[in-house]
Amino acid sequence: MKIEHDTIFRRKGVAVSWAASYLLILLIPILGGFVSSSYTSHVIRQEIQNANQLILSNLQDQIDELMEDEKSALSFLYANSQLSAFTAIEEGDPYFHYEAQELMELLSAYQVSNPGLDILIYYPKRDYVLSPRTANFSRYAYNGKFFYLNDPPSYEEWMKKLSAQYHNEFLIAPDLSILYEGNCLIFATTARYNLAEPVNIFITVPLSRIAGLTDHLSEEYLLLSDENGETAAVFSADGELQRQSWPAEEGFPMISVTAASGQSRWQFTVSTPETAFWRQARQTAMLSVACQVVSLLLGIFLAMLLLRRNYRPVSRIVEMLGGKKRGQNEFEQFHQAYQLLSDENHTIRSTLEEQNRLLLESYLLSLLKGRRPHVSESDADNFFELNLRGNRFGLAAIQLVLNGDPQKDESAFRLLHAVFSGQVQPARFYKTEDGPFLYYLFPLEEDAAAWKRGCLAALHRTRTICGEHGLPFQAVVSCAEEPHTLYLDTMEALEYASIVGAGGIMDSGEIKEYEEHFRVEAEERRREFTEAVHRGDAAAAQELLEAFYSLYCRQNLPFSVVRLQMTGVMNLLVEIFYPLAEENSQRLNLLTRVERLMSDTNEASFWQELRQLTACVCHAVRRQNQLEVADLSQQVQAYIRQHYAEDSLNISSIAAALSRSPKYLSRLFKEETGQGILDYIGCVRVEKAKKILDQRSVSCEELAGMVGFTNSRTLRRVFLKITGMTPGRYSHNLSDQEKDGPDGEDGE
């Protein structure tokens, strides 16, 4: 009976503990509800401010756009010359009213292209008003605007506003626009730039356009404050309000957001009465209380259900384990069962981890070498817990020098891996092996340059530690989007290191940049060498061969690699010389020399023979160029003698006809004849003009057209320069010679 009483007591104690825990858990959200109510009020206020901020941002942009339109109209007036031209005309000038009408039509045309804008220009000295609809003196303009109004301003008040001094300022007024009635947003300025007298310019936008922007407001108000901080206008969803109609004037608290205009020193404010805030807060509070009550009732029901269903879970577990053993409590029995299960799990896990490691290394090696993996990408992600898609990768490839002893090599691999993996922690990586290579693949979640610096530093530290144990190695790091690209980069870098005799720790990116720089410099030298050979400049071509030699010496490349690199130069010499050779024996001799160069193993004789071969080809090119220059000069002379009478004859037309560049053609003709092309054209034309004058008498204008000059003035200038006399004087001398006899007397 005592044992049964203790069991019942323990059951009651457990039930009471569970019930107290459940009630405590239920009280936490209730207490949180009271805290959240105050926070809800703050959030609602903040949300109203955020909403006001969004509304204000939209309204600010649209009102600033209206202000910008007004400023653009002022820029249009400044840029138009009619405004300053009209101020320069005196009032009694007969063109005064004509110019006023022209300026009024200009303003009307601008208003048509910019609807919603009105422009009023007032000339204080002549008391004259201009707008798109009127051009008259101020008294007549006043009568025309305020004649039909019930309570118009006095003429003196109106003139006081018109003639005041303004400095590019915005204001709200009802009577500074001829077109619009009521309050308007006005951009006013007193213009003096390039004007004979000061002019007041008023550019108006009706406030109804701003009121139209507030149609979407619900309980918010829009306030416009001028540069002095005074409230200039108030708007609601119903349009423009009187100041006394704004709730803030009646003492209501407001939630407001203010922003400065981007086009003026005005400020825009959107305000919401706090009455709307409290209405929303009460609704939210009632909803929160209702949710808490429902949660409390549902929690009590679920707590009772849990107490009823899970009151004795321990006894059920003991029954599943075979019942309680004598002299052993339930927790000891749980511990023994868990220990047995843990030992079995550890053995299975160790076996699976080893198999998983081997499979993972095989899969990674397939990715690196570009082979099709034995499992799909999705299966690999699930099985190996990988996520290699869409990442940028880094690869550290380490090549270890093996000594042929499998046990020592295995120990070396383990030591190297242990040291390196300890140096790169806590970076995440995947390892695989292939012969003497260790590959570490890093999915990069940081900057690639930062990873590369850290990995290079870890490799240097690893090399220092492994060097103390007699484990030499060389390594390459690389970054790319695809694992196979990384593998190719590192293999190329290690191959490059074996060719040039480099070793140690390398960055494939730096090697690529170094090789790219070397390639660019070699291409530049090859281009310059090609140009020199095409010119036939043997000295320049041989200097470039020396530059090639210096370039390859700086790379410390073996002579066999250098000879292979120079194959392109030798092919170029063959291509240039082959069409120039007159006999096949010359071509055969060249090919024999090139073949001997390709197999030459002596570096000094190779460069000496290449220089001689280059000089031979340049000599043949130079001889061919000289023949082409002489032939081209004769073609130019023949073309000029055939087309001298065309007034469009010039260097460009001759070059186009002969398919040469003007600069090249002019230089070759000068070198061959010692005379410029234009000078030769002048000589041919003067020669033809003299022949015409020898046969008959013609006017200078007619003669100029016959020999290709555009006018007689050019003919006289060129004729005088070449013959020392004008065409008229030359013709007069011919007439005198015809009159004189053989003895110098006048002929009959």
Side-chain angles (χ1 to χ4, degrees):
M1 291 297 297
K2 183 177 180 181
I3 296 175
E4 183 180 357
H5 180 268
D6 292 341
T7 304
I8 295 174
F9 180 77
R10 290 193 188 106
R11 289 177 180 177
K12 289 184 179 179
V14 170
V16 171
S17 300
W18 284 6
S21 300
Y22 289 150
L23 290 177
L24 180 61
I25 294 173
L26 292 174
L27 286 177
I28 291 176
I30 296 175
L31 296 176
F34 290 103
V35 176
S36 66
S37 61
S38 61
Y39 178 71
T40 301
S41 299
H42 170 73
V43 169
I44 294 176
R45 181 186 294 271
Q46 186 64 40
E47 290 301 318
I48 292 176
Q49 287 184 336
N50 294 339
N52 288 351
Q53 183 65 52
L54 293 175
I55 295 172
L56 178 60
S57 177
N58 185 30
L59 292 175
Q60 176 189 359
D61 292 341
Q62 298 182 63
I63 298 174
D64 279 345
E65 185 177 349
L66 295 178
M67 291 183 170
E68 185 179 7
D69 291 343
E70 293 181 304
K71 290 184 177 181
S72 299
L74 179 62
S75 301
F76 164 77
L77 294 175
Y78 270 126
N80 198 286
S81 59
Q82 291 187 8
L83 180 62
S84 58
F86 179 70
T87 59
I89 299 176
E90 298 294 336
E91 185 177 334
D93 193 308
Y95 287 100
F96 177 79
H97 294 287
Y98 172 77
E99 292 293 338
Q101 183 67 23
E102 289 291 322
L103 187 54
M104 184 180 73
E105 291 178 358
L106 173 67
L107 297 179
S108 179
Y110 184 81
Q111 187 185 52
V112 170
S113 61
N114 296 271
L117 285 178
D118 187 28
I119 301 175
L120 176 64
I121 304 176
Y122 176 64
Y123 297 86
K125 288 189 177 181
R126 58 185 69 183
D127 194 23
Y128 202 79
V129 176
L130 268 171
S131 76
R133 294 193 174 186
T134 182
N136 216 328
F137 293 99
S138 63
R139 172 61 70 177
Y140 299 106
Y142 173 80
N143 292 333
K145 175 174 175 59
F146 299 107
F147 181 77
Y148 296 101
L149 298 182
N150 295 327
D151 188 19
S154 65
Y155 175 72
E156 289 75 14
E157 293 176 352
W158 191 59
M159 287 303 300
K160 184 177 180 181
K161 291 183 179 180
L162 280 182
S163 57
Q165 295 290 318
Y166 299 95
H167 304 283
N168 292 335
E169 56 189 273
F170 286 91
L171 54 97
I172 293 180
D175 48 11
L176 291 178
S177 171
I178 298 298
L179 178 62
Y180 299 116
E181 303 293 341
N183 283 333
C184 298
L185 177 63
I186 299 171
F187 182 61
T189 185
T190 301
R192 293 182 175 84
Y193 178 67
N194 284 342
L195 300 179
E197 64 181 70
V199 176
N200 283 353
I201 301 175
F202 305 92
I203 303 169
T204 303
V205 171
L207 284 187
S208 60
R209 292 189 62 181
I210 300 179
L213 302 176
T214 60
D215 291 342
H216 63 283
L217 299 180
S218 55
E219 298 179 346
E220 297 84 7
Y221 294 87
L222 171 65
L223 285 76
L224 305 184
S225 303
D226 58 19
E227 58 189 17
N228 297 322
E230 298 293 334
T231 302
V234 180
F235 301 89
S236 69
D238 298 328
E240 183 182 3
L241 301 177
Q242 299 295 327
R243 285 285 305 278
Q244 56 270 21
S245 301
W246 183 40
E249 297 293 336
E250 302 176 5
F252 284 95
M254 310 291 287
I255 301 175
S256 302
V257 177
T258 302
S261 170
Q263 298 292 330
S264 65
R265 288 182 289 178
W266 283 39
Q267 289 187 334
F268 310 138
T269 303
V270 171
S271 298
T272 303
E274 284 198 356
T275 54
F277 158 69
W278 289 116
R279 183 169 59 252
Q280 297 181 33
R282 283 195 298 272
Q283 295 174 356
T284 305
M286 293 299 295
L287 180 62
S288 177
V289 170
C291 291
Q292 291 176 6
V293 171
V294 173
S295 298
L296 180 61
L297 296 177
L298 183 61
I300 293 174
F301 172 75
L302 293 176
M304 293 175 62
L305 183 63
L306 289 173
L307 285 172
R308 184 174 181 179
R309 294 190 58 184
N310 300 321
Y311 181 66
R312 296 193 301 174
V314 175
S315 61
R316 294 182 181 178
I317 297 175
V318 171
E319 291 175 359
M320 293 174 60
L321 294 177
K324 184 178 178 182
K325 297 179 180 180
R326 185 174 183 180
Q328 186 181 43
N329 60 34
E330 293 86 348
F331 294 104
E332 291 178 351
Q333 190 174 357
F334 293 163
H335 178 72
Q336 289 180 357
Y338 174 78
Q339 188 65 41
L340 179 61
L341 182 63
S342 177
D343 293 341
E344 294 177 353
N345 184 46
H346 177 72
T347 302
I348 296 174
R349 183 182 297 273
S350 300
T351 304
L352 291 176
E353 285 179 352
E354 180 63 20
Q355 294 178 353
N356 186 56
R357 183 186 65 81
L358 296 175
L359 290 174
L360 175 60
E361 290 189 359
S362 176
Y363 175 77
L364 292 176
L365 195 59
S366 299
L367 290 181
L368 290 174
K369 292 189 175 183
R371 297 191 301 236
R372 184 176 180 180
H374 56 282
V375 293
S376 65
E377 191 171 341
S378 59
D379 291 341
D381 290 347
N382 296 328
F383 185 74
F384 299 121
E385 297 182 355
L386 298 176
N387 186 15
L388 301 179
R389 285 174 287 185
N391 289 326
R392 185 173 177 83
F393 299 98
L395 182 67
I398 303 176
Q399 183 179 12
L400 186 64
V401 179
L402 302 179
N403 55 17
D405 188 343
Q407 293 183 351
K408 292 183 178 180
D409 291 342
E410 181 67 22
S411 300
F413 273 117
R414 290 182 179 179
L415 176 60
L416 180 59
H417 173 66
V419 175
F420 179 71
S421 60
Q423 296 298 322
V424 296
Q425 292 294 340
R428 181 168 62 94
F429 61 85
Y430 302 101
K431 179 187 76 72
T432 184
E433 300 178 11
D434 185 28
F437 298 99
L438 274 175
Y439 299 103
Y440 293 88
L441 183 64
F442 294 81
L444 300 184
E445 299 176 356
E446 57 178 328
D447 181 42
W451 169 84
K452 187 175 289 186
R453 289 193 299 270
C455 189
L456 287 172
L459 284 171
H460 282 292
R461 293 192 296 269
T462 302
R463 189 178 187 186
T464 301
I465 297 173
C466 291
E468 298 174 356
H469 295 80
L471 295 177
F473 67 87
Q474 60 181 6
V476 177
V477 297
S478 180
C479 295
E481 299 289 342
E482 296 293 336
H484 183 52
T485 304
L486 287 171
Y487 178 79
L488 294 178
D489 287 346
T490 53
M491 290 299 100
E492 288 177 359
L494 291 172
E495 182 180 2
Y496 171 84
S498 64
I499 291 176
V500 301
I505 298 169
M506 296 168 288
D507 181 355
S508 66
E510 293 180 355
I511 294 175
K512 283 187 175 181
E513 293 176 1
Y514 182 69
E515 290 179 340
E516 178 65 17
H517 175 73
F518 169 72
R519 185 188 65 79
V520 170
E521 186 176 355
E523 287 294 333
E524 180 66 19
R525 296 291 176 268
R526 188 172 289 108
R527 184 186 62 79
E528 294 174 354
F529 179 80
T530 303
E531 293 176 355
V533 174
H534 278 296
R535 293 195 309 268
D537 191 347
Q542 290 179 346
E543 288 182 3
L544 288 167
L545 286 179
E546 295 296 334
F548 271 119
Y549 179 75
S550 300
L551 177 62
Y552 291 127
C553 286
R554 291 201 305 269
Q555 307 304 314
N556 294 322
L557 296 179
F559 173 64
S560 58
V561 178
V562 174
R563 184 177 57 196
L564 184 62
Q565 292 287 337
M566 295 304 294
T567 303
V569 173
M570 290 183 278
N571 289 337
L572 173 66
L573 294 175
V574 173
E575 291 175 1
I576 295 175
F577 181 80
Y578 226 74
L580 302 179
E582 299 176 355
E583 300 178 359
N584 289 331
S585 59
Q586 295 176 340
R587 299 188 182 97
L588 181 59
N589 181 41
L590 179 69
L591 292 176
T592 302
R593 297 177 66 178
V594 170
E595 184 178 357
R596 188 166 56 249
L597 275 174
M598 293 289 291
S599 59
D600 196 349
T601 58
N602 187 285
E603 185 173 2
S605 64
F606 172 82
W607 288 105
Q608 181 64 26
E609 178 65 20
L610 188 57
R611 293 188 194 96
Q612 294 177 2
L613 184 61
T614 301
C616 178
V617 174
C618 288
H619 176 71
V621 171
R622 186 167 60 254
R623 184 174 63 253
Q624 181 65 24
N625 289 344
Q626 291 173 353
L627 295 175
E628 290 181 358
V629 168
D631 182 62
L632 191 59
S633 176
Q634 293 176 5
Q635 293 180 32
V636 172
Q637 293 177 5
Y639 186 86
I640 292 174
R641 289 190 174 277
Q642 184 180 357
H643 300 275
Y644 72 91
E646 299 175 1
D647 57 1
S648 61
L649 182 66
N650 54 32
I651 298 176
S652 298
S653 64
I654 298 171
L658 299 180
S659 301
R660 296 291 192 276
S661 70
K663 185 176 180 181
Y664 171 75
L665 191 65
S666 179
R667 179 176 60 81
L668 291 185
F669 190 86
K670 181 74 172 179
E671 292 176 356
E672 179 67 17
T673 65
Q675 186 180 22
I677 294 178
L678 293 180
D679 293 337
Y680 184 76
I681 293 173
C683 290
V684 172
R685 286 175 172 172
V686 170
E687 177 186 344
K688 298 297 181 180
K690 289 168 63 178
K691 289 183 179 181
I692 294 173
L693 292 175
D694 289 343
Q695 297 174 2
R696 56 194 175 95
S697 178
V698 295
S699 66
C700 198
E701 289 290 343
E702 184 180 0
L703 181 62
M706 295 172 66
V707 297
F709 288 108
T710 56
N711 52 64
S712 59
R713 182 179 179 184
T714 306
L715 170 63
R716 292 189 189 94
R717 179 175 55 80
V718 177
F719 201 98
L720 178 62
K721 177 182 178 182
I722 295 175
T723 65
M725 63 183 73
T726 64
R729 182 62 181 170
Y730 180 81
S731 180
H732 181 70
N733 289 345
L734 289 177
S735 299
D736 290 345
Q737 291 176 8
E738 290 175 358
K739 293 178 181 180
D740 293 342
D743 296 331
E745 298 177 353
D746 292 342
E748 295 180 0

